[in-house]
């Protein structure tokens, strides 16, 4: 099997020696004037960009304790230097988490600290000039905000926070990245990242219903905009059209069918992914989340459930209560209204995995596990689920629940090496706004540590199926698996495994 | 009092003042800077006691560093552990009046200076010989280690090399600083060479990476409880923003 970009994997994961500037370049495509302006950013680089950038840095560090503390606290111990998948895959020293932060920190020191103002060379302080800005643009778009470095940092310094801050500063001076910003425009106008309008979504869902009917003979519904449903399902829009994502969506539908719980998708809030997080903009992230709040209230649902999407789940689990009041404990008008409307017997929002897991615990789903016997399955912990969220409100639930769901549907489950799973999981290489073809080289190289772990597991236990619960992971793996001599179709949704093994009953008249 | 004694007395007071004012300023700054979003990092704690235990593990055992790199952990932990023991070892000098008996027992801690030296040399070697760590090191990172090695060496030379300055003078000088009852400094060069860089480091504490010590307590990834769904976490500036927008709750609209 010969392919372009084929990468031979060593027998153990090596920490490469640094190769300076091996990933130097111009970075991903820049956003056009129209895209930038639609988000309220300047259309092109402003004249006094240095001053604007420094002012924005000052504002950001005064609004985010993380940024202020992380800029001060790093001692350059080097613990993080070999933890980033992009460093391991590219050997470019600026992809070491601390060196990436230092692009931002050196400017902070120069402009905001005594030592940097008077002894810049001594403490590595640098001016924000054209070269530095180019480095910012290039290397802050080689960070997938996966937070693996933060797990290993003795002070919990999270490079994601710094890269979000840097992207925010760049947007404010008019230097934005095309991929996330264009998508954010679509969400704000139409409601999902694809820009898929309501009629197209409706057609897609009807086609899927037909497909399930043909295959199983059972009327499994995928309802859209049905008022007074029990559950509002918010899922990444990739689930509506992309492979293998769509088979996961079919899985959700089958689980809902079996549960007897009425559910609906919303055409107004047809996107769980929130790219506002990638660019570090609180307001844009909030606007995305508010669409979901509005849909939940307009459709008068009792529960909000989120589909398989890593960053979406981090935003939903960790940020929605802050941004929108979906959750408990808030005392403002909206929070109170939501608390009255939403069912307090369940955490709000919930992950689809939590929903399915609960049904499995209550013996409400039956599986014909042998349907998955041709598979030897391993699970890729998606970075933002693993390190930025929880499931089931039990310690490490985000690791336990998906595995339990897989094991309920499959007989053959194996783990990848210990230092590459759970809180130590490697990013797929395409997260954080990097899932774009203009960054394909980076994406292939960044996947190397994960591919290495997978290769090892393949050799040891013959694994042939890689399950994930993130739309980005699924798209990224489909694309890069062949580069490492794997079958691109080995990546599946966890709910695809559920879908293939679940035993459907004729009608959904049980319960409620 | 000799000029040298006057200089050192002033110098020590000024650097201590910079330390106190500077660190207080940073503490107030960190305290007043909001953390608008819940960003605890795995393994996140689901309750306050979990957070407390996490800090105990991080501060006393350097558990994240242990997970990360055994060599850096060994050198870093040895250095910090020895530093604490030696802090207590030096306390009797500064103790005004009669020194409690227990503090005399810290005499034995003098041997931890070997551990201190070992840790520092190890950390310096990593900076010199590991290409990744060399890449991220600034001159100040080396300088700080060299200064600490110098302080350790002079201390060890005095303690183990029969270069003891007059202990009575040391005690009178040090405790005199506390009681504002100033007295002469011992004249030995090695003693001055030992204490001068110590108070240089104390002075630069609030403007250098030494801020990692207070910083760790303010790190939101460590100090936040992972309970975002159960409790609404919101910063003042975000709340102001919400209240600034017009909420029409009946029609479910929020407009700027």
């Amino acid at each position: 099997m010969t392919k372009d970009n084929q990468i031979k994997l060593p027998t153990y994961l090596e920490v490469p020696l640094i190769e300076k500037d091996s990933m130097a370049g111009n970075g991903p495509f820049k956003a056009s004037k129209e895209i930038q302006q639609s988000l309220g950013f300047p259309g092109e680089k402003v004249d006094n960009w240095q001053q604007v950038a420094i002012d924005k840095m000052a504002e950001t560090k005064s609004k985010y304790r993380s940024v202020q503390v992380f800029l001060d606290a790093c001692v350059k111990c080097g613990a993080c230097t070999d933890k980033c998948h992009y460093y391991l895959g590219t050997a470019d020293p600026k992809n070491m988490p601390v060196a990436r932060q230092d692009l931002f920190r050196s400017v902070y020191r120069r402009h905001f600290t005594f030592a940097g103002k008077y002894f810049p060379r001594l403490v590595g302080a640098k001016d924000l000039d054209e070269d530095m800005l180019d480095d910012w643009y290039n290397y802050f778009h080689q960070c997938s905000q996966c937070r693996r470095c933060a797990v290993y940092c003795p002070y919990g310094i999270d490079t994601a926070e710094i890269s979000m801050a840097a992207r925010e500063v760049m947007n404010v001076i008019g230097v934005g990245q095309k991929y996330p910003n264009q998508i954010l425009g679509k969400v704000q106008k139409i409601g999902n990242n694809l820009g898929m309008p309501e009629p197209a979504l409706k057609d897609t869902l009807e086609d899927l219903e037909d497909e399930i009917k043909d295959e199983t003979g059972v009327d499994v519904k995928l309802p859209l905009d049905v008022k007074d449903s029990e559950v509002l399902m918010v899922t990444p829009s990739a689930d509506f059209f992309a492979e293998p994502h769509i088979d996961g969506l079919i899985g959700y539908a089958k689980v809902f069918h079996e549960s007897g719980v009425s559910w609906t998708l919303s055409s107004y809030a047809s996107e769980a992914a929130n790219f506002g997080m990638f660019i570090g903009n609180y307001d844009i992230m909030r606007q995305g989340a508010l669409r979901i709040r509005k849909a939940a209230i307009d459709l008068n649902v009792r529960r909000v459930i989120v589909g398989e999407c890593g960053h979406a789940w981090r935003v939903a689990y960790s940020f929605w209560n802050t941004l929108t009041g979906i959750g408990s404990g808030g005392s403002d008008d909206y929070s109170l209204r939501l608390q009255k409307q939403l069912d307090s017997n369940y955490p709000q929002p919930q992950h689809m995995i939590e929903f399915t897991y609960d049904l499995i615990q209550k013996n409400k789903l039956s599986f014909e596990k042998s349907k998955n016997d041709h598979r030897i399955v391993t699970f890729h912990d998606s970075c933002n689920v693993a390190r930025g969220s929880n499931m089931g409100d039990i310690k490490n639930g985000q690791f336990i629940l998906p595995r339990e769901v897989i094991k309920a549907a499959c007989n053959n489950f194996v783990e990848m090496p210990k230092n590459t799973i759970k809180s130590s999981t490697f990013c797929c290489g395409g997260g954080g706004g990097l899932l774009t073809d203009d960054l394909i080289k980076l994406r292939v190289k960044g996947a190397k540590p994960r591919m290495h772990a997978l290769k090892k597991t393949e050799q040891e236990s013959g694994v042939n199926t890689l399950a994930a619960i993130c739309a980005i992971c699924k798209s990224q793996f489909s694309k890069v698996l062949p580069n490492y001599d794997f079958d691109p179709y080995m990546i599946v949704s966890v709910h695809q495994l559920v879908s293939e093994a679940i035993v459907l009953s004729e009608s959904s008249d049980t319960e409620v | 009092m000799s000029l040298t004694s006057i200089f050192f007395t002033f110098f020590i007071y000024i650097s201590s003042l910079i330390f106190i004012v500077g660190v207080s300023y940073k503490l107030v700054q960190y305290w007043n800077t909001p953390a608008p979003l819940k960003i605890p990092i795995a393994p996140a704690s689901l309750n306050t006691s979990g957070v407390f235990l996490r800090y105990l593990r991080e501060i006393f055992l350097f558990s994240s560093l242990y997970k990360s790199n055994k060599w850096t952990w060994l050198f870093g932990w040895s250095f910090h552990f020895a530093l604490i023991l030696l802090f207590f070892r030096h306390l009797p000098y500064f103790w005004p009046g009669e020194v409690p008996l227990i503090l005399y027992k810290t005499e034995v801690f003098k041997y931890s200076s070997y551990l201190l030296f070992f840790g520092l040399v190890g950390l310096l070697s990593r900076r010199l010989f590991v290409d990744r760590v060399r890449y991220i090191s600034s001159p100040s990172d080396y300088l700080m280690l060299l200064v600490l090695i110098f302080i350790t060496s002079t201390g060890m030379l005095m303690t183990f090399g029969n270069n003891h300055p007059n202990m009575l003078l040391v005690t009178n000088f040090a405790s005199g600083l506390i009681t504002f009852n100033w007295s002469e400094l011992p004249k030995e060069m090695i003693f001055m060479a030992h204490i001068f860089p110590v108070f240089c480091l104390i002075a630069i504490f609030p403007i250098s990476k030494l801020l990692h010590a207070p910083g760790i307590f303010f790190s939101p990834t460590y100090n936040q409880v992972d309970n975002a769904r159960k409790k609404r976490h919101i910063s003042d500036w975000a709340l102001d923003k919400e209240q600034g927008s017009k909420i029409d709750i009946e029609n479910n609209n929020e407009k700027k």
Side-chain angles (χ1 to χ4, degrees):
Chain A
M1 204 159 139
T2 50
K3 280 195 189 69
D4 296 340
N5 277 341
Q6 196 72 40
I7 292 176
K8 275 248 154 61
L9 291 165
T11 49
Y12 61 95
L13 187 59
E14 295 157 330
V15 177
L17 289 175
I18 60 173
E19 283 170 43
K20 279 187 189 167
D21 296 325
S22 66
M23 288 303 281
N26 299 325
F29 295 154
K30 290 194 173 129
S32 69
K33 199 172 166 180
E34 291 71 36
I35 293 173
Q36 285 299 90
Q37 285 173 341
S38 74
L39 294 179
F41 297 126
E44 45 204 40
K45 191 156 90 175
V46 295
D47 289 336
N48 58 338
W49 63 271
Q50 273 129 324
Q51 193 51 50
V52 176
I54 298 301
D55 292 346
K56 186 67 194 176
M57 280 177 82
E59 186 198 324
T60 307
K61 74 182 190 67
S62 74
K63 285 166 92 173
Y64 290 84
R65 184 185 288 168
S66 53
V67 175
Q68 177 64 59
V69 172
F70 295 165
L71 287 175
D72 280 337
C74 178
V75 299
K76 318 290 172 85
C77 71
C80 62
T81 54
D82 56 353
K83 301 299 182 286
C84 174
H85 53 289
Y86 290 120
Y87 174 70
L88 294 172
T90 69
D92 190 316
K94 285 177 185 159
N95 277 331
M96 299 188 295
V98 46
R100 195 188 312 285
Q101 295 162 25
D102 274 353
L103 296 172
F104 201 73
R105 185 178 288 114
S106 57
V107 175
Y108 162 73
R109 285 193 167 162
R110 183 80 181 102
H111 288 272
F112 298 97
T113 69
F114 176 86
K117 274 179 192 157
Y118 300 103
F119 310 98
R121 291 177 65 96
L122 181 68
V123 296
K126 287 184 187 134
D127 281 307
L128 179 57
D129 54 16
E130 292 283 351
D131 286 346
M132 180 60 83
L133 182 63
D134 289 347
D135 263 359
W136 276 21
Y137 190 76
N138 188 31
Y139 289 103
F140 284 118
H141 292 108
Q142 295 189 27
C143 168
S144 60
Q145 306 175 339
C146 81
R147 314 180 84 211
R148 189 168 193 264
C149 47
V151 169
Y152 290 96
C153 174
Y155 315 109
I157 296 173
D158 181 2
T159 311
E161 292 291 303
I162 305 294
S163 95
M164 288 169 191
R167 291 184 192 182
E168 164 87 333
V169 171
M170 287 189 279
N171 269 320
V172 166
I173 61 172
V175 181
Q177 186 201 353
K178 181 181 171 193
Y179 171 70
N181 290 8
Q182 189 174 36
I183 279 174
L184 282 164
K186 287 183 199 165
V187 180
Q188 295 193 348
K189 245 193 234 127
I190 298 159
N192 57 59
N193 288 358
L194 300 170
M196 190 188 234
E198 192 263 349
L201 185 54
K202 202 164 183 244
D203 281 353
T204 307
L205 297 176
E206 279 167 7
D207 287 350
L208 279 179
E209 288 176 352
D210 292 344
E211 200 179 295
I212 302 171
K213 174 85 177 167
D214 287 349
E215 213 168 280
T216 64
V218 181
D219 279 312
V220 172
K221 294 290 169 205
L222 285 110
L224 182 66
D225 294 332
V226 180
K227 259 196 112 167
D228 303 321
S229 298
E230 176 81 7
V231 170
L232 168 64
M233 179 72 189
V234 190
T235 200
S237 56
D239 283 0
F240 300 130
F241 83 106
E243 283 292 346
H245 312 59
I246 203 158
D247 296 307
L249 177 64
I250 292 171
Y252 316 151
K254 288 182 181 172
V255 171
F256 280 122
H257 176 89
E258 282 308 297
S259 72
V261 175
S262 64
W263 69 294
T264 185
L265 293 152
S266 156
S267 60
Y268 178 77
S270 44
E271 181 62 66
N274 194 324
F275 281 26
M277 180 169 74
F278 301 162
I279 62 168
N281 187 291
Y282 189 94
D283 294 329
I284 293 175
M285 182 161 76
R286 180 157 187 266
Q287 282 160 26
L290 287 184
R291 289 185 82 92
I292 291 150
R293 177 174 79 183
K294 184 163 167 53
I297 293 176
D298 287 345
L299 293 169
N300 194 32
V301 294
R302 309 262 295 143
R303 300 168 71 176
V304 184
I305 294 184
V306 180
E308 295 183 6
C309 184
H311 304 75
W313 180 238
R314 182 178 179 204
V315 173
Y317 173 86
S318 288
F319 304 160
W320 272 6
N321 200 1
T322 301
L323 299 169
T324 68
I326 299 174
S328 20
S331 55
D332 60 298
D333 292 350
Y334 258 109
S335 291
L336 294 174
R337 172 165 179 173
L338 285 159
Q339 283 160 28
K340 217 165 100 188
Q341 181 191 322
L342 299 175
D343 189 342
S344 60
N345 291 317
Y346 302 96
Q348 306 288 353
Q350 256 191 318
H351 195 283
M352 188 62 204
I353 290 281
E354 292 181 302
F355 183 78
T356 304
Y357 175 80
D358 278 348
L359 293 171
I360 292 169
Q361 295 303 100
K362 290 175 188 153
N363 278 322
K364 291 210 173 140
L365 301 179
S366 43
F367 294 98
E368 212 174 305
K369 290 169 89 167
S370 60
K371 288 258 177 77
N372 279 320
D373 273 355
H374 61 294
R375 297 183 184 281
I376 299 171
V377 185
T378 193
F379 180 63
H380 164 77
D381 288 281
S382 298
C383 55
N384 272 252
V385 175
R387 289 185 280 260
S389 80
N390 184 273
M391 286 180 195
D393 293 328
I394 52 171
K395 182 105 179 160
N396 294 325
Q398 75 273 32
F399 309 133
I400 299 165
L401 269 62
R403 284 171 171 78
E404 288 305 311
V405 170
I406 293 173
K407 286 179 195 162
C410 307
N411 282 315
N412 312 315
F413 177 77
V414 293
E415 290 282 12
M416 285 186 276
K418 202 172 142 243
N419 60 344
T420 73
I421 56 169
K422 300 183 180 172
S423 63
S424 301
T425 188
F426 279 110
C427 164
C428 62
L434 309 184
L435 191 78
T436 168
D437 282 346
D438 42 315
L439 287 172
I440 189 68
K441 266 194 183 149
L442 176 78
R443 286 168 51 192
V444 171
K445 289 180 174 180
K448 191 175 163 189
R450 170 49 74 222
M451 292 295 108
H452 184 274
L454 185 63
K455 186 65 83 185
K456 213 172 162 198
T457 317
E458 185 190 46
Q459 285 160 358
E460 283 165 9
S461 8
V463 76
N464 61 11
T465 301
L466 177 64
I469 47 171
C470 171
I472 288 177
C473 296
K474 293 171 202 169
S475 300
Q476 157 77 354
F477 285 139
S478 302
K479 190 105 177 182
V480 303
L481 278 165
N483 292 97
Y484 293 91
D485 197 17
F486 287 110
D487 175 6
Y489 299 105
M490 76 184 289
I491 172 74
V492 298
S493 300
V494 168
H495 274 88
Q496 177 179 341
L497 299 172
V498 170
S499 170
E500 283 169 13
I502 195 168
V503 180
L504 290 178
S505 39
E506 260 320 300
S507 58
S508 59
D509 53 4
T510 47
E511 221 227 346
V512 189
Chain B
M1 265 169 74
S2 72
L3 263 178
T4 332
S5 299
I6 292 171
F7 169 77
F8 267 93
T9 306
F10 262 106
F11 177 67
I12 289 170
Y13 277 131
I14 286 171
S15 62
S16 305
L17 194 70
I18 295 174
F19 175 84
I20 291 164
V21 174
V23 172
S24 310
Y25 172 81
K26 290 308 282 190
L27 290 177
V28 170
Q29 182 193 36
Y30 294 158
W31 185 269
N32 285 337
T33 308
L37 293 165
K38 277 275 188 179
I39 58 165
I41 188 81
S45 314
L46 299 175
N47 48 45
T48 323
S49 54
V51 169
F52 182 72
L53 288 173
R54 177 179 213 169
Y55 268 101
L56 290 183
R57 280 198 306 275
E58 290 298 339
I59 288 166
F60 291 107
L61 303 175
F62 294 9
S63 56
S64 289
L65 189 58
Y66 182 78
K67 201 161 48 179
S68 176
N69 188 307
K70 302 288 182 283
W71 285 112
T72 312
W73 176 84
L74 178 68
F75 298 137
W77 189 84
S78 304
F79 160 58
H80 284 84
F81 181 62
L83 204 59
I84 294 182
L85 295 185
L86 288 165
F87 170 81
F88 288 109
R89 164 76 181 83
H90 285 74
L91 217 50
Y93 299 136
F94 290 90
W95 201 268
E98 195 161 335
V99 180
L101 216 60
I102 183 124
L103 274 188
Y104 281 122
K105 308 244 180 205
T106 61
E107 170 70 18
V108 67
F109 289 172
K110 67 186 179 188
Y111 295 108
S112 65
S113 53
Y114 289 101
L115 193 64
L116 189 76
F117 192 81
F118 162 79
L120 287 167
V121 170
L123 289 172
L124 185 65
S125 327
R126 277 191 60 75
R127 272 199 203 288
L128 290 171
F129 301 122
V130 179
D131 66 331
R132 302 187 310 279
V133 189
R134 191 167 60 230
Y135 180 89
I136 57 167
S137 299
S138 304
S140 58
D141 297 318
Y142 294 105
L143 188 63
M144 218 170 262
L145 285 172
L146 290 172
V147 167
L148 285 164
I149 288 174
F150 180 78
I151 294 168
T152 313
S153 310
T154 49
M156 287 173 81
L157 278 174
M158 283 189 284
T159 309
F160 304 115
N162 268 334
N163 293 306
H164 290 286
N166 184 322
M167 277 305 148
L168 194 64
L169 282 181
V170 174
T171 312
N172 284 346
F173 177 75
S175 62
L177 291 167
I178 306 287
T179 55
F180 298 100
N181 189 9
W182 305 306
S183 70
E184 288 289 344
L185 190 71
K187 289 196 181 55
E188 285 81 354
M189 273 304 283
I190 191 162
F191 176 75
M192 289 183 239
H194 181 66
I195 64 167
F196 181 72
V198 170
F199 285 91
C200 286
L201 285 181
I202 286 177
I204 64 159
F205 197 99
I207 55 163
S208 69
K209 68 174 183 179
L210 298 176
L211 282 173
H212 67 280
I216 187 171
F217 295 98
F218 290 91
S219 189
T221 46
Y222 277 177
N223 69 18
Q224 288 183 342
V225 178
D226 183 15
N227 60 357
R229 287 193 290 194
K230 289 186 188 138
K231 207 170 157 207
R232 189 166 195 231
H233 170 92
I234 190 153
S235 67
D236 288 343
W237 63 259
L239 205 58
D240 286 349
K241 213 170 253 194
E242 276 179 32
Q243 283 158 353
S245 53
K246 219 177 109 219
I247 293 177
D248 174 3
I249 201 137
E250 278 311 303
N251 295 310
N252 186 20
N253 275 319
E254 183 181 316
K255 285 265 157 57
K256 282 266 135 62

